[in-house]
Short mmCIF file of all heavy atoms in Angstrom, two decimals:
data_model
loop_
_atom_site.label_atom_id
_atom_site.label_comp_id
_atom_site.label_asym_id
_atom_site.label_seq_id
_atom_site.Cartn_x
_atom_site.Cartn_y
_atom_site.Cartn_z
N MET A 202 -7.96 6.33 3.79
CA MET A 202 -7.92 5.24 2.84
C MET A 202 -9.34 4.83 2.51
O MET A 202 -10.19 4.77 3.39
CB MET A 202 -7.16 4.07 3.46
CG MET A 202 -7.07 2.88 2.54
SD MET A 202 -6.07 1.60 3.26
CE MET A 202 -7.24 0.29 3.28
N LEU A 203 -9.62 4.54 1.24
CA LEU A 203 -10.93 4.05 0.83
C LEU A 203 -10.86 2.55 0.64
O LEU A 203 -9.95 2.02 0.02
CB LEU A 203 -11.37 4.69 -0.48
CG LEU A 203 -11.73 6.16 -0.42
CD1 LEU A 203 -12.05 6.68 -1.82
CD2 LEU A 203 -12.89 6.40 0.50
N CYS A 204 -11.85 1.86 1.20
CA CYS A 204 -11.92 0.40 1.08
C CYS A 204 -13.38 -0.01 0.97
O CYS A 204 -14.15 0.21 1.89
CB CYS A 204 -11.27 -0.25 2.30
SG CYS A 204 -11.27 -2.03 2.23
N GLY A 205 -13.75 -0.58 -0.15
CA GLY A 205 -15.14 -1.00 -0.34
C GLY A 205 -16.11 0.16 -0.26
O GLY A 205 -17.22 -0.01 0.20
N GLY A 206 -15.68 1.34 -0.72
CA GLY A 206 -16.54 2.51 -0.68
C GLY A 206 -16.59 3.22 0.67
O GLY A 206 -17.25 4.23 0.81
N ARG A 207 -15.88 2.66 1.67
CA ARG A 207 -15.84 3.29 3.00
C ARG A 207 -14.48 3.93 3.22
O ARG A 207 -13.46 3.39 2.82
CB ARG A 207 -16.05 2.24 4.09
CG ARG A 207 -17.41 1.63 4.11
CD ARG A 207 -17.59 0.65 5.26
NE ARG A 207 -16.45 0.54 6.13
CZ ARG A 207 -16.05 -0.58 6.71
NH1 ARG A 207 -16.70 -1.70 6.49
NH2 ARG A 207 -15.00 -0.61 7.49
N GLU A 208 -14.49 5.08 3.89
CA GLU A 208 -13.24 5.72 4.24
C GLU A 208 -12.77 5.20 5.59
O GLU A 208 -13.52 5.20 6.56
CB GLU A 208 -13.42 7.24 4.30
CG GLU A 208 -12.12 7.96 4.51
CD GLU A 208 -12.25 9.46 4.37
OE1 GLU A 208 -13.11 9.91 3.60
OE2 GLU A 208 -11.48 10.16 5.04
N ILE A 209 -11.54 4.72 5.64
CA ILE A 209 -10.97 4.17 6.86
C ILE A 209 -9.76 5.02 7.24
O ILE A 209 -8.79 5.08 6.49
CB ILE A 209 -10.55 2.70 6.66
CG1 ILE A 209 -11.76 1.86 6.25
CG2 ILE A 209 -9.89 2.16 7.92
CD1 ILE A 209 -11.42 0.48 5.81
N PRO A 210 -9.81 5.69 8.39
CA PRO A 210 -8.67 6.52 8.78
C PRO A 210 -7.47 5.66 9.17
O PRO A 210 -7.62 4.60 9.79
CB PRO A 210 -9.20 7.31 9.98
CG PRO A 210 -10.33 6.51 10.51
CD PRO A 210 -10.89 5.73 9.35
N LEU A 211 -6.28 6.10 8.78
CA LEU A 211 -5.06 5.42 9.16
C LEU A 211 -4.24 6.33 10.06
O LEU A 211 -4.01 7.49 9.71
CB LEU A 211 -4.22 5.06 7.93
CG LEU A 211 -4.75 3.98 7.03
CD1 LEU A 211 -3.88 3.85 5.79
CD2 LEU A 211 -4.81 2.65 7.76
N PRO A 212 -3.80 5.84 11.20
CA PRO A 212 -2.99 6.67 12.09
C PRO A 212 -1.59 6.88 11.49
O PRO A 212 -1.16 6.14 10.60
CB PRO A 212 -2.91 5.85 13.37
CG PRO A 212 -3.09 4.44 12.93
CD PRO A 212 -4.01 4.51 11.74
N GLU A 213 -0.89 7.90 11.97
CA GLU A 213 0.48 8.10 11.53
C GLU A 213 1.30 6.87 11.85
O GLU A 213 1.07 6.18 12.84
CB GLU A 213 1.08 9.32 12.24
CG GLU A 213 0.59 10.63 11.68
CD GLU A 213 1.37 11.81 12.22
OE1 GLU A 213 2.57 11.68 12.56
OE2 GLU A 213 0.77 12.89 12.31
N GLY A 214 2.24 6.57 10.98
CA GLY A 214 3.11 5.42 11.17
C GLY A 214 3.24 4.61 9.90
O GLY A 214 2.78 5.00 8.83
N SER A 215 3.87 3.45 10.01
CA SER A 215 4.11 2.56 8.89
C SER A 215 3.07 1.45 8.87
O SER A 215 2.77 0.87 9.91
CB SER A 215 5.50 1.94 9.00
OG SER A 215 6.49 2.93 8.94
N HIS A 216 2.57 1.15 7.68
CA HIS A 216 1.53 0.15 7.52
C HIS A 216 1.90 -0.77 6.35
O HIS A 216 1.93 -0.32 5.21
CB HIS A 216 0.17 0.80 7.24
CG HIS A 216 -0.20 1.84 8.23
ND1 HIS A 216 -0.76 1.53 9.45
CD2 HIS A 216 -0.07 3.19 8.20
CE1 HIS A 216 -0.98 2.65 10.12
NE2 HIS A 216 -0.56 3.66 9.39
N VAL A 217 2.20 -2.04 6.62
CA VAL A 217 2.51 -2.99 5.57
C VAL A 217 1.19 -3.44 4.94
O VAL A 217 0.23 -3.78 5.63
CB VAL A 217 3.29 -4.21 6.11
CG1 VAL A 217 3.52 -5.24 5.01
CG2 VAL A 217 4.62 -3.76 6.70
N ILE A 218 1.19 -3.44 3.61
CA ILE A 218 0.02 -3.85 2.83
C ILE A 218 0.32 -5.22 2.24
O ILE A 218 1.40 -5.45 1.71
CB ILE A 218 -0.24 -2.86 1.69
CG1 ILE A 218 -0.49 -1.46 2.24
CG2 ILE A 218 -1.40 -3.32 0.83
CD1 ILE A 218 -0.51 -0.39 1.17
N GLY A 219 -0.64 -6.15 2.30
CA GLY A 219 -0.45 -7.46 1.68
C GLY A 219 -1.43 -8.47 2.22
O GLY A 219 -2.33 -8.15 2.98
N ARG A 220 -1.25 -9.73 1.83
CA ARG A 220 -2.16 -10.77 2.28
C ARG A 220 -1.60 -11.58 3.44
O ARG A 220 -2.24 -12.49 3.95
CB ARG A 220 -2.58 -11.68 1.14
CG ARG A 220 -1.50 -12.46 0.50
CD ARG A 220 -2.05 -13.32 -0.64
NE ARG A 220 -0.96 -13.96 -1.34
CZ ARG A 220 -0.43 -15.12 -0.99
NH1 ARG A 220 -0.89 -15.78 0.05
NH2 ARG A 220 0.58 -15.63 -1.67
N GLY A 221 -0.41 -11.23 3.90
CA GLY A 221 0.23 -11.94 5.00
C GLY A 221 -0.44 -11.65 6.34
O GLY A 221 -1.08 -10.62 6.53
N GLU A 222 -0.27 -12.55 7.29
CA GLU A 222 -0.88 -12.46 8.61
C GLU A 222 -0.56 -11.16 9.35
O GLU A 222 -1.39 -10.60 10.01
CB GLU A 222 -0.46 -13.65 9.48
CG GLU A 222 -1.07 -14.97 9.05
CD GLU A 222 -2.56 -15.03 9.31
OE1 GLU A 222 -3.02 -14.52 10.35
OE2 GLU A 222 -3.27 -15.60 8.47
N GLY A 223 0.68 -10.69 9.28
CA GLY A 223 1.07 -9.53 10.06
C GLY A 223 0.82 -8.18 9.39
O GLY A 223 1.25 -7.15 9.90
N CYS A 224 0.13 -8.18 8.26
CA CYS A 224 -0.09 -6.93 7.53
C CYS A 224 -1.18 -6.09 8.19
O CYS A 224 -2.23 -6.61 8.58
CB CYS A 224 -0.47 -7.22 6.08
SG CYS A 224 0.87 -7.95 5.15
N ARG A 225 -0.92 -4.81 8.31
CA ARG A 225 -1.90 -3.88 8.87
C ARG A 225 -3.09 -3.71 7.92
O ARG A 225 -4.22 -3.60 8.34
CB ARG A 225 -1.21 -2.54 9.13
CG ARG A 225 -2.10 -1.42 9.51
CD ARG A 225 -2.20 -1.32 10.98
NE ARG A 225 -2.95 -0.09 11.29
CZ ARG A 225 -3.43 0.13 12.45
NH1 ARG A 225 -3.24 -0.71 13.43
NH2 ARG A 225 -4.11 1.21 12.68
N ILE A 226 -2.80 -3.68 6.63
CA ILE A 226 -3.85 -3.57 5.61
C ILE A 226 -3.84 -4.88 4.83
O ILE A 226 -2.94 -5.15 4.05
CB ILE A 226 -3.58 -2.37 4.67
CG1 ILE A 226 -3.49 -1.08 5.48
CG2 ILE A 226 -4.66 -2.29 3.59
CD1 ILE A 226 -2.96 0.10 4.71
N ARG A 227 -4.84 -5.72 5.09
CA ARG A 227 -4.89 -7.07 4.52
C ARG A 227 -5.61 -7.08 3.18
O ARG A 227 -6.70 -6.53 3.04
CB ARG A 227 -5.62 -8.03 5.46
CG ARG A 227 -4.97 -8.22 6.81
CD ARG A 227 -3.87 -9.24 6.87
NE ARG A 227 -4.10 -10.51 6.25
CZ ARG A 227 -4.60 -11.59 6.85
NH1 ARG A 227 -4.96 -11.53 8.11
NH2 ARG A 227 -4.73 -12.71 6.20
N LEU A 228 -5.01 -7.74 2.20
CA LEU A 228 -5.60 -7.94 0.89
C LEU A 228 -6.08 -9.38 0.79
O LEU A 228 -5.40 -10.30 1.27
CB LEU A 228 -4.57 -7.67 -0.21
CG LEU A 228 -3.92 -6.29 -0.19
CD1 LEU A 228 -2.84 -6.21 -1.27
CD2 LEU A 228 -4.95 -5.20 -0.37
N SER A 229 -7.23 -9.59 0.19
CA SER A 229 -7.78 -10.94 0.13
C SER A 229 -7.42 -11.68 -1.16
O SER A 229 -7.56 -12.89 -1.23
CB SER A 229 -9.30 -10.90 0.29
OG SER A 229 -9.88 -10.11 -0.74
N SER A 230 -6.93 -10.98 -2.16
CA SER A 230 -6.62 -11.62 -3.44
C SER A 230 -5.42 -12.55 -3.31
O SER A 230 -4.37 -12.17 -2.77
CB SER A 230 -6.31 -10.55 -4.50
OG SER A 230 -5.86 -11.17 -5.69
N VAL A 231 -5.55 -13.77 -3.85
CA VAL A 231 -4.43 -14.71 -3.84
C VAL A 231 -3.33 -14.26 -4.81
O VAL A 231 -2.22 -14.76 -4.76
CB VAL A 231 -4.88 -16.15 -4.17
CG1 VAL A 231 -5.80 -16.68 -3.08
CG2 VAL A 231 -5.53 -16.22 -5.53
N ARG A 232 -3.65 -13.32 -5.68
CA ARG A 232 -2.67 -12.79 -6.63
C ARG A 232 -1.75 -11.76 -5.97
O ARG A 232 -0.72 -11.42 -6.51
CB ARG A 232 -3.39 -12.17 -7.82
CG ARG A 232 -4.15 -13.22 -8.63
CD ARG A 232 -4.96 -12.63 -9.74
NE ARG A 232 -4.14 -11.80 -10.61
CZ ARG A 232 -4.62 -11.00 -11.52
NH1 ARG A 232 -5.91 -10.89 -11.68
NH2 ARG A 232 -3.82 -10.28 -12.27
N ALA A 233 -2.14 -11.26 -4.81
CA ALA A 233 -1.32 -10.26 -4.10
C ALA A 233 -0.20 -10.97 -3.34
O ALA A 233 -0.36 -12.08 -2.86
CB ALA A 233 -2.19 -9.48 -3.12
N SER A 234 0.93 -10.30 -3.24
CA SER A 234 2.06 -10.84 -2.47
C SER A 234 1.74 -10.77 -0.99
O SER A 234 0.84 -10.05 -0.56
CB SER A 234 3.31 -10.02 -2.76
OG SER A 234 3.69 -10.11 -4.10
N ARG A 235 2.51 -11.50 -0.20
CA ARG A 235 2.30 -11.48 1.25
C ARG A 235 2.64 -10.11 1.85
O ARG A 235 2.01 -9.67 2.79
CB ARG A 235 3.11 -12.57 1.92
CG ARG A 235 2.52 -13.94 1.71
CD ARG A 235 3.31 -15.01 2.45
NE ARG A 235 2.68 -16.30 2.30
CZ ARG A 235 2.87 -17.10 1.25
NH1 ARG A 235 3.66 -16.74 0.27
NH2 ARG A 235 2.26 -18.26 1.19
N ARG A 236 3.67 -9.45 1.33
CA ARG A 236 4.11 -8.14 1.83
C ARG A 236 4.57 -7.28 0.65
O ARG A 236 5.76 -7.00 0.53
CB ARG A 236 5.27 -8.29 2.81
CG ARG A 236 4.94 -8.96 4.10
CD ARG A 236 6.19 -9.16 4.95
NE ARG A 236 7.13 -8.06 4.92
CZ ARG A 236 7.21 -7.08 5.83
NH1 ARG A 236 6.39 -7.08 6.84
NH2 ARG A 236 8.11 -6.12 5.72
N PRO A 237 3.67 -6.84 -0.22
CA PRO A 237 4.12 -6.12 -1.40
C PRO A 237 4.52 -4.66 -1.18
O PRO A 237 5.38 -4.15 -1.89
CB PRO A 237 2.94 -6.21 -2.36
CG PRO A 237 1.76 -6.34 -1.47
CD PRO A 237 2.25 -7.12 -0.27
N ALA A 238 3.90 -3.98 -0.23
CA ALA A 238 4.14 -2.53 -0.14
C ALA A 238 4.08 -2.01 1.29
O ALA A 238 3.47 -2.62 2.16
CB ALA A 238 3.12 -1.80 -1.01
N LEU A 239 4.71 -0.86 1.46
CA LEU A 239 4.71 -0.17 2.74
C LEU A 239 4.10 1.20 2.55
O LEU A 239 4.53 1.96 1.68
CB LEU A 239 6.14 -0.03 3.28
CG LEU A 239 6.29 0.76 4.57
CD1 LEU A 239 5.67 -0.01 5.73
CD2 LEU A 239 7.76 1.04 4.84
N LEU A 240 3.09 1.51 3.33
CA LEU A 240 2.43 2.81 3.32
C LEU A 240 2.89 3.54 4.58
O LEU A 240 2.78 2.99 5.68
CB LEU A 240 0.91 2.61 3.34
CG LEU A 240 0.03 3.80 3.09
CD1 LEU A 240 0.16 4.26 1.65
CD2 LEU A 240 -1.41 3.45 3.37
N VAL A 241 3.42 4.75 4.42
CA VAL A 241 3.89 5.53 5.56
C VAL A 241 3.05 6.79 5.66
O VAL A 241 3.03 7.61 4.73
CB VAL A 241 5.39 5.88 5.44
CG1 VAL A 241 5.84 6.70 6.64
CG2 VAL A 241 6.23 4.61 5.33
N VAL A 242 2.34 6.93 6.77
CA VAL A 242 1.48 8.09 7.01
C VAL A 242 2.20 9.01 7.99
O VAL A 242 2.56 8.61 9.09
CB VAL A 242 0.11 7.66 7.61
CG1 VAL A 242 -0.77 8.86 7.88
CG2 VAL A 242 -0.59 6.66 6.69
N GLU A 243 2.44 10.25 7.55
CA GLU A 243 3.08 11.26 8.39
C GLU A 243 2.21 12.50 8.40
O GLU A 243 1.30 12.64 7.58
CB GLU A 243 4.48 11.57 7.85
CG GLU A 243 5.40 10.35 7.88
CD GLU A 243 6.74 10.61 7.23
OE1 GLU A 243 6.77 11.16 6.12
OE2 GLU A 243 7.75 10.26 7.87
N SER A 244 2.51 13.42 9.30
CA SER A 244 1.68 14.62 9.42
C SER A 244 1.68 15.46 8.14
O SER A 244 0.71 16.16 7.85
CB SER A 244 2.15 15.48 10.60
OG SER A 244 3.50 15.89 10.39
N ASP A 245 2.74 15.37 7.34
CA ASP A 245 2.83 16.19 6.14
C ASP A 245 2.54 15.42 4.85
O ASP A 245 2.70 15.94 3.76
CB ASP A 245 4.21 16.84 6.05
CG ASP A 245 5.34 15.84 5.97
OD1 ASP A 245 5.13 14.66 6.32
OD2 ASP A 245 6.45 16.23 5.57
N GLY A 246 2.09 14.16 4.95
CA GLY A 246 1.74 13.43 3.74
C GLY A 246 1.86 11.93 3.89
O GLY A 246 2.16 11.41 4.96
N VAL A 247 1.61 11.24 2.78
CA VAL A 247 1.62 9.78 2.74
C VAL A 247 2.53 9.33 1.60
O VAL A 247 2.47 9.88 0.50
CB VAL A 247 0.20 9.21 2.53
CG1 VAL A 247 0.21 7.70 2.45
CG2 VAL A 247 -0.73 9.69 3.62
N THR A 248 3.36 8.31 1.87
CA THR A 248 4.19 7.73 0.83
C THR A 248 3.92 6.23 0.76
O THR A 248 3.43 5.63 1.71
CB THR A 248 5.70 7.95 1.09
OG1 THR A 248 6.05 7.37 2.35
CG2 THR A 248 6.04 9.43 1.08
N VAL A 249 4.26 5.64 -0.39
CA VAL A 249 4.14 4.20 -0.58
C VAL A 249 5.41 3.73 -1.27
O VAL A 249 5.99 4.45 -2.10
CB VAL A 249 2.87 3.82 -1.38
CG1 VAL A 249 2.90 4.37 -2.79
CG2 VAL A 249 2.65 2.32 -1.39
N GLU A 250 5.88 2.53 -0.91
CA GLU A 250 7.04 1.95 -1.59
C GLU A 250 6.88 0.44 -1.70
O GLU A 250 6.25 -0.20 -0.85
CB GLU A 250 8.34 2.32 -0.90
CG GLU A 250 8.58 1.65 0.42
CD GLU A 250 9.93 2.03 1.00
OE1 GLU A 250 10.96 1.51 0.52
OE2 GLU A 250 9.94 2.84 1.94
N ASP A 251 7.44 -0.10 -2.76
CA ASP A 251 7.42 -1.54 -2.98
C ASP A 251 8.42 -2.20 -2.04
O ASP A 251 9.50 -1.65 -1.78
CB ASP A 251 7.78 -1.85 -4.44
CG ASP A 251 7.71 -3.33 -4.74
OD1 ASP A 251 6.59 -3.87 -4.75
OD2 ASP A 251 8.78 -3.94 -4.94
N LEU A 252 8.07 -3.35 -1.51
CA LEU A 252 8.95 -4.09 -0.60
C LEU A 252 9.63 -5.27 -1.28
O LEU A 252 9.95 -6.27 -0.66
CB LEU A 252 8.17 -4.57 0.63
CG LEU A 252 7.64 -3.47 1.55
CD1 LEU A 252 6.81 -4.07 2.68
CD2 LEU A 252 8.79 -2.64 2.11
N GLY A 253 9.84 -5.15 -2.59
CA GLY A 253 10.51 -6.21 -3.33
C GLY A 253 9.61 -7.31 -3.81
O GLY A 253 10.06 -8.43 -4.04
N SER A 254 8.33 -7.02 -3.96
CA SER A 254 7.39 -8.05 -4.42
C SER A 254 7.69 -8.43 -5.87
O SER A 254 8.18 -7.63 -6.66
CB SER A 254 5.95 -7.56 -4.29
OG SER A 254 5.72 -6.43 -5.10
N ARG A 255 7.39 -9.67 -6.21
CA ARG A 255 7.66 -10.20 -7.55
C ARG A 255 6.94 -9.41 -8.63
O ARG A 255 7.51 -9.10 -9.68
CB ARG A 255 7.25 -11.66 -7.62
CG ARG A 255 7.49 -12.28 -8.99
CD ARG A 255 7.10 -13.72 -9.04
NE ARG A 255 7.97 -14.46 -8.13
CZ ARG A 255 7.68 -15.63 -7.62
NH1 ARG A 255 6.53 -16.20 -7.92
NH2 ARG A 255 8.50 -16.25 -6.82
N ASN A 256 5.69 -9.07 -8.40
CA ASN A 256 4.90 -8.36 -9.41
C ASN A 256 5.02 -6.84 -9.32
O ASN A 256 4.47 -6.13 -10.14
CB ASN A 256 3.42 -8.75 -9.30
CG ASN A 256 3.20 -10.20 -9.62
OD1 ASN A 256 3.87 -10.77 -10.47
ND2 ASN A 256 2.26 -10.82 -8.93
N GLY A 257 5.72 -6.36 -8.32
CA GLY A 257 5.87 -4.92 -8.16
C GLY A 257 4.64 -4.29 -7.54
O GLY A 257 3.62 -4.94 -7.33
N THR A 258 4.76 -3.03 -7.24
CA THR A 258 3.64 -2.25 -6.71
C THR A 258 3.37 -1.13 -7.70
O THR A 258 4.29 -0.46 -8.16
CB THR A 258 4.00 -1.67 -5.33
OG1 THR A 258 4.27 -2.76 -4.43
CG2 THR A 258 2.86 -0.83 -4.77
N TRP A 259 2.11 -0.96 -8.03
CA TRP A 259 1.71 -0.01 -9.07
C TRP A 259 0.80 1.06 -8.47
O TRP A 259 -0.09 0.76 -7.68
CB TRP A 259 0.97 -0.74 -10.18
CG TRP A 259 1.81 -1.76 -10.88
CD1 TRP A 259 2.22 -2.97 -10.38
CD2 TRP A 259 2.36 -1.66 -12.17
NE1 TRP A 259 3.00 -3.62 -11.31
CE2 TRP A 259 3.10 -2.84 -12.42
CE3 TRP A 259 2.31 -0.68 -13.15
CZ2 TRP A 259 3.77 -3.06 -13.61
CZ3 TRP A 259 2.98 -0.91 -14.35
CH2 TRP A 259 3.70 -2.08 -14.57
N VAL A 260 1.02 2.29 -8.87
CA VAL A 260 0.17 3.41 -8.45
C VAL A 260 -0.12 4.25 -9.69
O VAL A 260 0.81 4.67 -10.39
CB VAL A 260 0.83 4.28 -7.36
CG1 VAL A 260 -0.03 5.49 -7.04
CG2 VAL A 260 1.09 3.46 -6.10
N GLY A 261 -1.39 4.48 -9.96
CA GLY A 261 -1.77 5.30 -11.10
C GLY A 261 -1.26 4.75 -12.42
O GLY A 261 -0.92 5.51 -13.32
N GLY A 262 -1.17 3.42 -12.56
CA GLY A 262 -0.74 2.81 -13.80
C GLY A 262 0.77 2.75 -13.98
O GLY A 262 1.24 2.33 -15.03
N ARG A 263 1.54 3.18 -12.98
CA ARG A 263 3.00 3.17 -13.09
C ARG A 263 3.60 2.30 -11.99
O ARG A 263 3.19 2.37 -10.83
CB ARG A 263 3.54 4.59 -12.96
CG ARG A 263 3.09 5.47 -14.11
CD ARG A 263 3.62 6.88 -14.01
NE ARG A 263 5.08 6.85 -14.02
CZ ARG A 263 5.82 7.87 -13.64
NH1 ARG A 263 5.25 8.97 -13.23
NH2 ARG A 263 7.13 7.78 -13.68
N ARG A 264 4.59 1.51 -12.36
CA ARG A 264 5.28 0.67 -11.39
C ARG A 264 6.21 1.54 -10.54
O ARG A 264 6.92 2.38 -11.05
CB ARG A 264 6.10 -0.41 -12.10
CG ARG A 264 6.70 -1.40 -11.14
CD ARG A 264 7.39 -2.52 -11.85
NE ARG A 264 7.91 -3.45 -10.89
CZ ARG A 264 8.05 -4.74 -11.10
NH1 ARG A 264 7.70 -5.24 -12.26
NH2 ARG A 264 8.53 -5.53 -10.17
N LEU A 265 6.15 1.32 -9.23
CA LEU A 265 6.96 2.12 -8.32
C LEU A 265 8.44 1.76 -8.44
O LEU A 265 8.81 0.61 -8.59
CB LEU A 265 6.54 1.89 -6.87
CG LEU A 265 5.14 2.32 -6.47
CD1 LEU A 265 4.95 2.09 -4.97
CD2 LEU A 265 4.90 3.77 -6.81
N ASP A 266 9.25 2.80 -8.32
CA ASP A 266 10.70 2.65 -8.25
C ASP A 266 11.14 3.51 -7.07
O ASP A 266 11.33 4.70 -7.20
CB ASP A 266 11.34 3.12 -9.55
CG ASP A 266 12.85 2.94 -9.54
OD1 ASP A 266 13.35 2.12 -8.74
OD2 ASP A 266 13.53 3.63 -10.31
N GLY A 267 11.23 2.89 -5.91
CA GLY A 267 11.53 3.65 -4.69
C GLY A 267 10.26 4.13 -4.01
O GLY A 267 9.16 3.67 -4.31
N ARG A 268 10.42 5.09 -3.13
CA ARG A 268 9.29 5.64 -2.37
C ARG A 268 8.64 6.76 -3.17
O ARG A 268 9.33 7.59 -3.75
CB ARG A 268 9.79 6.18 -1.04
CG ARG A 268 8.68 6.64 -0.13
CD ARG A 268 9.22 7.07 1.20
NE ARG A 268 9.48 5.86 1.98
CZ ARG A 268 9.67 5.87 3.29
NH1 ARG A 268 9.68 7.00 3.95
NH2 ARG A 268 9.87 4.74 3.93
N VAL A 269 7.30 6.76 -3.21
CA VAL A 269 6.55 7.75 -3.97
C VAL A 269 5.52 8.41 -3.06
O VAL A 269 4.82 7.72 -2.31
CB VAL A 269 5.83 7.07 -5.17
CG1 VAL A 269 4.92 8.04 -5.89
CG2 VAL A 269 6.84 6.46 -6.13
N ALA A 270 5.45 9.75 -3.14
CA ALA A 270 4.45 10.49 -2.38
C ALA A 270 3.09 10.36 -3.06
O ALA A 270 2.99 10.44 -4.28
CB ALA A 270 4.84 11.95 -2.27
N LEU A 271 2.05 10.13 -2.26
CA LEU A 271 0.69 10.05 -2.78
C LEU A 271 0.02 11.40 -2.59
O LEU A 271 0.17 12.02 -1.55
CB LEU A 271 -0.11 8.97 -2.05
CG LEU A 271 0.40 7.54 -2.20
CD1 LEU A 271 -0.48 6.60 -1.39
CD2 LEU A 271 0.43 7.13 -3.66
N GLY A 272 -0.73 11.81 -3.58
CA GLY A 272 -1.48 13.06 -3.50
C GLY A 272 -2.89 12.80 -3.02
O GLY A 272 -3.30 11.65 -2.80
N PRO A 273 -3.67 13.86 -2.84
CA PRO A 273 -5.07 13.69 -2.41
C PRO A 273 -5.92 13.05 -3.50
O PRO A 273 -5.58 13.12 -4.67
CB PRO A 273 -5.53 15.11 -2.11
CG PRO A 273 -4.63 15.98 -2.96
CD PRO A 273 -3.32 15.25 -3.04
N GLY A 274 -6.99 12.42 -3.07
CA GLY A 274 -7.93 11.83 -4.02
C GLY A 274 -7.79 10.33 -4.08
O GLY A 274 -6.82 9.76 -3.64
N PRO A 275 -8.82 9.67 -4.65
CA PRO A 275 -8.79 8.21 -4.72
C PRO A 275 -7.75 7.73 -5.70
O PRO A 275 -7.59 8.27 -6.78
CB PRO A 275 -10.21 7.86 -5.19
CG PRO A 275 -10.75 9.09 -5.81
CD PRO A 275 -10.02 10.25 -5.19
N ARG A 276 -6.99 6.71 -5.28
CA ARG A 276 -6.00 6.05 -6.11
C ARG A 276 -6.05 4.58 -5.79
O ARG A 276 -6.53 4.19 -4.74
CB ARG A 276 -4.60 6.55 -5.81
CG ARG A 276 -4.41 7.99 -6.18
CD ARG A 276 -2.98 8.22 -6.44
NE ARG A 276 -2.84 9.61 -6.82
CZ ARG A 276 -1.75 10.10 -7.30
NH1 ARG A 276 -0.71 9.35 -7.44
NH2 ARG A 276 -1.67 11.35 -7.63
N SER A 277 -5.50 3.79 -6.66
CA SER A 277 -5.43 2.37 -6.36
C SER A 277 -3.98 1.92 -6.47
O SER A 277 -3.26 2.36 -7.35
CB SER A 277 -6.31 1.56 -7.32
OG SER A 277 -5.86 1.74 -8.65
N ALA A 278 -3.60 1.09 -5.57
CA ALA A 278 -2.25 0.50 -5.61
C ALA A 278 -2.45 -1.01 -5.69
O ALA A 278 -3.34 -1.56 -5.09
CB ALA A 278 -1.47 0.85 -4.35
N SER A 279 -1.61 -1.68 -6.46
CA SER A 279 -1.72 -3.14 -6.57
C SER A 279 -0.36 -3.75 -6.54
O SER A 279 0.63 -3.12 -6.67
CB SER A 279 -2.48 -3.52 -7.83
OG SER A 279 -1.83 -3.02 -8.99
#
């Protein structure tokens, strides 16, 4: 994962993304939901899915509908 220009390794498993206290990947923006998305890292790839956030979760300019596999390279999710 890239954050602020630094690469941060994520171990295999589930990682909740958001601004809430219990999130593994914390977002500082007040516009972000407390628990907008779930990132799942497995040996054969990475997926992301929206957790029912009001604004949705977006990857590559498209709103997620279900779980989506992420490919290699920098991407942004919001």
Side-chain angles (χ1 to χ4, degrees):
M202 180 175 122
L203 290 176
C204 181
R207 292 183 2 216
E208 186 171 330
I209 301 170
L211 290 174
E213 284 190 30
S215 297
H216 308 278
V217 176
I218 300 170
R220 63 181 174 87
E222 289 291 322
C224 293
R225 171 93 172 165
I226 302 168
R227 298 276 313 268
L228 303 175
S229 59
S230 174
V231 295
R232 295 175 55 192
S234 297
R235 285 183 177 84
R236 293 175 39 97
L239 176 68
L240 191 68
V241 179
V242 179
E243 298 175 312
S244 61
D245 61 342
V247 178
T248 59
V249 64
E250 71 178 284
D251 183 69
L252 294 177
S254 62
R255 179 179 296 159
N256 296 325
T258 299
W259 298 72
V260 176
R263 295 180 60 196
R264 187 175 182 150
L265 295 184
D266 182 21
R268 186 176 281 196
V269 174
L271 298 178
R276 294 205 179 190
S277 61
S279 59

